[in-house]
Amino acid sequence: MSGSHRTASHRRPAAAPTDRSEAEQYQGRAATRRSRRKPKPPRRARKLTVGTATLLALAAGWFTVGPGRSFQGQTASAAPDREPEVVPMQAADAGQHTEAPAADRSDRDRITTIPGIGAGWMAKVPADTRQLLVASGQGKDSSDNTVTLWTRGDDGSWQAGQAWPAHNAYKGWTADHRSGDLRSPIGLFSLTDAGGRKADPGSKLPYDENKNFVMSGRGFNNEPLAGSFDYVVAINYNRAEGKSPLDTTYPEGAAKGGGIWLHLDHGGPTHGCVSLTEDHMVELIKTLDPALHPMIMMGDAQSLAA
């Protein structure tokens, strides 16, 4: 492409932590009574009373254990936000409780598969991919989706970043994308190249600053499209990797469509791309690292869960 140049930055991001909260309440009280006149008999009575109270507490079900986990069913971006907890009734009278051993708790915290993503899809993620962007649509025919960047640690567990609202194609999703069908392709694609009309904000991917990243006219909601391509990341659907997003080489032929990008949201559906607000696009471009072999898994929630 004429008038283009490619640059690369080398700053490394910090993995976003998963928000986790925990609520554990412990109550206990003990009543001790002593008599000066007859010390021994009251002690026997006290032991009998405490033992009886403990049995009654257990029999009455004063202590309940709940799962304490919640997931966003319609998206693949939600992470567990609570651990199992012990919730005693106010009238409980049975001593102190201790937390589970650290090893058990870490086992529960370790997420080896992304919630909402089926085993078949997870098996397709290459072992060297440490950054996985998940764009999960609300429905097969919906143009609304949620994007989350997941990071895989050295132990193989996944950690979620923030969930970002996004748009996709006007008619939703398809597993057999064709040029002009107004649906976004379902699949797993690598992310290797970025660019835009604006200057490189600090990309680790090769970045093509080019005046040809321009869009005009109005969208499906009559919203202006100007500035939509100020920042883009090419989704490697039917394109040659390692080239500017502006490259029009279609390895599978023009009929399969192309030019599927992550770009700035203009307030409505796209023709096939996934769009994010400018602040989220800038953060994404700064975060994606070719050394971590980033990819995007995209589709409606039902398809991705299969």
Side-chain angles (χ1 to χ4, degrees):
M1 295 296 168
S2 60
S4 66
H5 67 271
R6 304 174 66 76
T7 63
S9 173
H10 299 282
R11 292 185 293 177
R12 296 186 61 85
T18 304
D19 289 335
R20 309 181 66 85
S21 63
E22 184 176 313
E24 296 187 356
Q25 298 180 355
Y26 298 96
Q27 289 185 341
R29 62 183 183 181
T32 58
R33 298 177 179 177
R34 296 185 178 180
S35 173
R36 297 181 179 178
R37 295 181 180 179
K38 298 179 181 180
K40 292 184 179 180
R43 280 200 297 268
R44 287 196 298 269
R46 184 176 69 248
K47 292 180 180 178
L48 180 59
T49 300
V50 172
T52 303
T54 302
L55 291 175
L56 289 175
L58 293 173
W62 284 347
F63 294 87
T64 60
V65 178
R69 291 186 179 274
S70 62
F71 294 88
Q72 297 293 335
Q74 75 274 21
T75 73
S77 62
D81 64 356
R82 297 181 73 82
E83 289 296 327
E85 59 186 30
V86 178
V87 185
M89 297 285 287
Q90 292 298 319
D93 186 10
Q96 298 293 324
H97 295 262
T98 58
E99 296 188 17
D104 293 342
R105 296 178 64 80
S106 64
D107 287 344
R108 290 199 302 267
D109 291 346
R110 190 168 180 265
I111 302 175
T112 56
T113 185
I114 296 176
I117 303 299
W121 283 105
M122 291 302 301
K124 294 179 181 179
V125 180
D128 60 358
T129 291
R130 305 288 290 272
Q131 290 179 327
L132 181 63
L133 196 68
V134 175
S136 179
Q138 293 183 5
K140 191 68 175 286
D141 300 321
S142 173
S143 61
D144 296 318
N145 71 84
T146 301
V147 169
T148 307
L149 180 61
W150 289 81
T151 303
R152 179 154 55 182
D154 293 337
D155 62 353
S157 63
W158 291 95
Q159 189 175 51
Q162 293 182 341
W164 297 329
H167 282 111
N168 51 273
Y170 178 72
K171 292 186 177 180
W173 302 90
T174 179
D176 185 23
H177 178 66
R178 298 287 172 174
S179 178
D181 65 5
L182 297 182
R183 290 186 178 271
S184 297
I186 298 172
L188 177 67
F189 311 104
S190 58
L191 303 171
T192 57
D193 305 282
R197 186 177 62 85
K198 290 186 176 181
D200 182 357
S203 176
K204 298 176 181 63
L205 301 176
Y207 186 91
D208 180 20
E209 179 187 350
N210 196 307
K211 65 181 181 181
N212 291 321
F213 283 103
V214 61
M215 173 62 75
S216 59
R218 292 188 171 272
F220 295 102
N221 294 336
N222 198 37
E223 74 277 15
L225 300 179
S228 298
F229 300 157
D230 283 354
Y231 298 111
V232 311
V233 174
I235 296 172
N236 289 341
Y237 167 85
N238 194 22
R239 71 176 298 270
E241 297 183 15
K243 295 186 177 182
S244 167
L246 292 171
D247 182 76
T248 56
T249 301
Y250 303 132
E252 299 179 55
K256 290 287 290 180
I260 306 297
W261 296 345
L262 288 150
H263 64 67
L264 298 193
D265 190 78
H266 43 71
T270 71
H271 283 76
C273 300
V274 174
S275 60
L276 295 165
T277 58
E278 182 169 358
D279 56 337
H280 294 154
M281 272 300 300
V282 169
E283 183 176 348
L284 181 65
I285 289 176
K286 290 180 177 180
T287 302
L288 293 177
D289 188 342
L292 302 180
H293 305 282
M295 301 192 78
I296 182 171
M297 185 180 291
M298 51 192 281
D300 60 286
Q302 184 176 0
S303 296
L304 295 182

